[in-house]
């Protein structure tokens, strides 16, 4: 059975919250807690998409349209900021994350938004960079710690 990519609804919120908890337990990022159902419900809109298979939510992405003050984009240009992309570990090799990113970007483009930005605090940052480079993203900013 194929994966369906569609907009998140209120009925999906409990399953998205379960995935957010799974993500937090993986401990692959710094300083970001799981999102609860209230926080997820507040984000539902044009830029919150889920991947569904066999009636279960197996992945999600969400973001928002922002107005640029960054030098990498024209001043005051609109851009999509992607906040999260998460796919259940059992489905990561199936291209679900790529389908979600393609969908959220194409939704922004349908609304005339030509630019996108994503940041990551993933410990496996090289893999994250490679993932986003396959969608045309380029490195702009690096922040490091020790």
């Amino acid at each position: 059975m194929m994966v369906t990519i569609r907009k998140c609804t209120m009925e999906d919120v409990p399953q998205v919250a379960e995935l957010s908890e799974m993500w937090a337990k993986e401990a692959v990022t710094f300083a970001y807690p799981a999102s609860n159902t209230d926080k997820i419900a507040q984000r539902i809109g044009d830029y919150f998409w889920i991947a569904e298979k066999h009636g279960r939510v197996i992945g999600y992405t969400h973001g928002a349209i922002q107005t640029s003050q960054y030098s990498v984009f024209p001043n005051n240009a609109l851009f999509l900021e992607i906040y999260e992309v998460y796919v259940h570990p059992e489905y990561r090799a199936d291209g679900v994350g790529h389908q979600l990113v393609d969908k959220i970007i194409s939704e922004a483009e349908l609304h005339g938004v030509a630019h996108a930005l994503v940041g990551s605090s993933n410990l496996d940052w090289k893999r994250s960079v490679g993932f986003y480079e396959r969608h045309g993203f380029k490195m702009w900013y690096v922040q490091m710690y020790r």
Side-chain angles (χ1 to χ4, degrees):
M1 181 180 211
M2 298 217 15
V3 172
T4 301
I5 307 296
R6 62 174 175 79
K7 287 186 181 178
C8 185
T9 67
M10 288 301 290
E11 291 76 29
D12 300 318
V13 168
Q15 291 182 66
V16 172
E18 287 175 21
L19 289 175
S20 186
E21 281 292 331
M22 286 180 71
W23 165 78
K25 288 177 182 170
E26 284 186 50
V28 295
T29 62
F30 288 118
Y32 291 101
S35 296
N36 63 32
T37 55
D38 290 341
K39 193 171 187 181
I40 294 164
Q42 291 171 8
R43 295 176 177 154
I44 291 178
D46 285 343
Y47 301 99
F48 200 132
W49 294 83
I50 59 119
E52 182 181 57
K53 188 169 187 173
H54 303 298
R56 292 290 305 161
V57 177
I58 62 166
Y60 66 92
T61 186
H62 68 89
I65 302 301
Q66 308 286 357
T67 303
S68 179
Q69 301 301 314
Y70 298 120
S71 59
V72 71
F73 300 133
N75 197 35
N76 294 318
L78 296 179
F79 70 95
L80 168 67
E81 184 170 7
I82 299 174
Y83 297 135
E84 289 184 61
V85 177
Y86 182 78
V87 175
H88 188 289
E90 291 178 19
Y91 301 97
R92 289 189 185 150
D94 298 343
V96 176
H98 291 292
Q99 291 177 59
L100 286 164
V101 170
D102 287 343
K103 190 54 142 172
I104 196 171
I105 289 172
S106 68
E107 182 71 13
E109 290 172 344
L110 282 173
H111 290 99
V113 178
H115 306 287
L117 180 73
V118 64
S120 178
S121 61
N122 194 311
L123 296 172
D124 191 3
W125 62 269
K126 290 179 184 176
R127 188 170 164 192
S128 292
V129 167
F131 174 87
Y132 288 107
E133 283 178 338
R134 287 191 289 281
H135 292 275
F137 286 84
K138 296 171 185 64
M139 186 67 69
W140 165 53
Y141 178 79
V142 175
Q143 190 169 23
M144 300 173 78
Y145 70 96
R146 64 173 237 170

